[in-house]
Amino acid sequence: MTYCVAIKVNEGLVFAADTRTSAGVDDVRTYNKLHVFEFAGERVFTVLSAGNLATTQAVLAHLKRDLDDPAAAVSLRNVRHMFDAAEYVGAVSVKAQRDTAAHMQLGNTVDLRTTLILGGQIQGEEPALYLIYPEGNCISSSPETPYLQIGESKYGKPILDRVIRPSLPLEDAARCALVSLDSTMKSNISVGPPIDLAMLPRDALRITHTLRLDLDTPLLAQLREAWGQALMSAFRSLPRFDWEMSDAQGSLLRDEADD
């Protein structure tokens, strides 16, 4: 399994992904699920992937092959709009799934689907995020839902719902993405480190910061500890039940009487 999240705020875009592809007792494997296609000063795209690894690799190979082919009618180098890029990547994904299936024996039950998030910015346009389904169609993020998730999304969603707003600073959005990944890793062994993080400030037209964080990386270790302590502190400060208050008052009166 996997977990990837992309966040859009007014200051730009944040991308984060785990790298685990299997999590057996004695067989833990990792693979990069965050892929950057950058044309500095002109356009930049980031692809997050979840699903069949062979299909994902076929999609990425196709995208790179079109970039290297001057005769390619469509590529990430020449699409005019972010939506056009999302449609193009969706079409490539559908073709990759179909081609992979054609080389497999009939009756094979392997799931060949892949789900992708495409984010980035083309000069002169707003930064954008698109969730690309296995069928090739896509939806974009919105002010009401300024983040997109793929893979094992349920454990990391609550923090995103409570924190992410368009006005949030880009670094805070990045911290929220890391907490979302950490919460997921805490509850699901199929999502695991290292974590890849990339930040794309508005109009920078290039990825300005990338990080790979493992469990013993100081930043991630400090974040995990601080978040855990903050949660426990908040839990302990929750309102008491009525009977707890009564019991506490009674105990106080008994203590005063004993004195």
Side-chain angles (χ1 to χ4, degrees):
M1 200 56 179
T2 189
Y3 176 48
C4 305
V5 59
I7 300 171
K8 180 181 179 182
V9 293
N10 294 337
E11 293 186 1
L13 306 176
V14 171
F15 306 91
D18 83 314
T19 54
R20 183 161 292 176
T21 59
S22 63
V25 175
D26 58 353
D27 183 18
V28 176
R29 303 180 188 180
T30 62
Y31 178 77
N32 183 25
K33 303 167 190 175
L34 190 158
H35 314 274
V36 176
F37 299 85
E38 189 174 276
F39 309 87
E42 180 186 347
R43 58 184 61 197
V44 57
F45 304 96
T46 299
V47 177
L48 301 177
S49 59
N52 184 275
L53 187 56
T55 302
T56 298
Q57 291 180 337
V59 170
L60 294 171
H62 191 132
L63 297 179
K64 293 173 183 177
R65 188 164 60 247
D66 285 349
L67 284 175
D68 295 335
D69 183 4
V74 183
S75 72
L76 292 178
R77 193 188 304 275
N78 61 28
V79 290
R80 295 187 60 185
H81 306 289
M82 283 297 301
F83 180 74
D84 298 334
E87 285 197 319
Y88 160 65
V89 173
V92 170
S93 176
V94 170
K95 182 179 186 303
Q97 293 172 72
R98 185 173 58 244
D99 290 350
T100 303
H103 289 88
M104 300 182 69
Q105 296 180 355
L106 294 177
N108 197 298
T109 59
V110 175
D111 188 350
L112 300 176
R113 294 175 300 173
T114 186
T115 306
L116 307 168
I117 292 176
L118 174 71
Q121 185 177 15
I122 296 175
Q123 187 176 33
E125 289 194 347
E126 287 281 307
L129 292 176
Y130 290 92
L131 174 60
I132 303 172
Y133 293 103
E135 295 77 15
N137 55 329
C138 64
I139 60 171
S140 66
S141 63
S142 68
E144 295 75 26
T145 309
Y147 66 86
L148 298 173
Q149 301 169 281
I150 54 177
E152 191 59 72
S153 60
K154 56 182 177 291
Y155 302 106
K157 188 175 187 296
I159 179 65
L160 300 172
D161 287 336
R162 290 183 179 274
V163 173
I164 297 300
R165 300 291 184 273
S167 59
L168 196 69
L170 193 62
E171 284 75 12
D172 283 346
R175 276 183 282 271
C176 188
L178 292 178
V179 171
S180 181
L181 261 294
D182 179 64
S183 300
T184 305
M185 292 190 299
K186 187 75 173 177
S187 299
N188 192 318
I189 193 175
S190 70
V191 177
I195 294 173
D196 287 325
L197 178 75
M199 300 172 64
L200 172 61
R202 173 186 289 270
D203 298 328
L205 297 175
R206 65 183 182 88
I207 299 293
T208 58
H209 296 90
T210 59
L211 293 173
R212 171 158 281 200
L213 306 169
D214 216 327
L215 291 179
D216 58 354
T217 302
L219 175 61
L220 184 58
Q222 292 167 10
L223 182 143
R224 290 166 60 91
E225 182 178 2
W227 180 245
Q229 292 176 350
L231 280 178
M232 185 56 67
S233 176
F235 178 77
R236 288 170 176 160
S237 67
L238 291 175
R240 304 292 94 182
F241 294 109
D242 290 343
W243 63 82
E244 289 181 293
M245 299 300 293
S246 299
D247 291 346
Q249 291 172 356
S251 176
L252 180 60
L253 291 175
R254 287 192 297 272
D255 290 342
E256 291 176 348
D258 291 340
D259 292 340

